[in-house]
Amino acid sequence: MRNFIVGNWKMYKTRSEIEHFFKELERSADIVKHSEAWIAPQSIHLDLVRELSAPMGVQVGSQNVAAATEGAFTGEVSSVAVADMGCSFTILGHSERRAIFHETDATLNQKLHLSIKAGLTVIFCCGETLEEREKGEAESVVRHQLVEGLKGLDKTYCHHLMIAYEPVWAIGTGRTASPTQAQEMHGFIRKVLMDEMSFPAKEMPILYGGSVKTSNIDALLQQPDINGALVGGASLKPEDYLILCKASLK
Ligand code: PGA
């Protein structure tokens, strides 16, 4: 399976910063073209990023979508509009969405079905907090997020689904899960997908996220059940993003 490098730009970058990013990336366009390089900018920049990244074959997607396809939902972005703009994926269930915007398993499940129906690939995030890990609940929390969030998804749509394991304590903290800790959970996730949901889990990419950097990407990608990375901070710098893409090709 190929390794995926998905940049989650969160609420960063202006138009001119984006133009600079792709100008820098173009210097090593070949690396990007050969990689599974994906980027999720703020929704207002989806079209700009799609236009600038198209020559390098970057997949562009949103960080979230609404739990409805259209209607009187001021400030929301529809999965149908994201797909219609030529974007190919959306991230769902990021821990910041769960914690700050109180997204529940049920809402995420609704968003998942609408996104898949709209033709988007979904990167579905899961992960435990530090408190949950210390109480020995990491696996049961992740299992619950997967079973509830992916409920009702027909396995024929699994080629439109990726999982991102992001331990909350590792996001933006500089504290990465060790490759062994990450592998343990990725192996567990694959088992849940296979045994409990009857999904073709061997073919489904499971990404790791949480303080992925140029210094730890190699060790993470060497793990058998880690098929790429969902990257926040390090994806904002073109030089780092390129190193991550290069590492994904090894
Ligand atoms: P980080 O963010 O790489 O800055 O830790 C990862 C994420 O939130 O997806």
Side-chain angles (χ1 to χ4, degrees), residues 4 29 41 47 52 88 98 115 123 137 140 146 152 177 239:
F4 296 79
D47 206 27
L52 295 176
S88 58
R98 292 178 189 264
S115 301
I123 301 179
E137 292 171 359
S140 63
L146 292 174
E239 61 279 16

Side-chain angles (χ1 to χ4, degrees), residues 41-54:
Q42 298 181 67
S43 292
I44 195 172
H45 292 139
L46 284 171
D47 206 27
L48 173 68
V49 170
R50 219 179 48 77
E51 186 190 316
L52 295 176
S53 69

Side-chain angles (χ1 to χ4, degrees), residues 24-46:
E24 290 297 309
L25 220 56
E26 265 162 26
R27 294 168 188 254
S28 305
D30 268 0
I31 295 174
V32 183
K33 269 186 204 160
H34 287 106
S35 314
E36 283 294 343
W38 296 25
I39 290 178
Q42 298 181 67
S43 292
I44 195 172
H45 292 139
L46 284 171

Side-chain angles (χ1 to χ4, degrees), residues 4 19 43 50 63 69 94-95 106 149 163 190 196 225 247:
F4 296 79
E19 284 164 356
S43 292
R50 219 179 48 77
Q63 300 168 10
T69 50
H94 189 280
S95 66
I163 307 298
R190 213 177 288 283
E196 294 191 45
D225 286 304

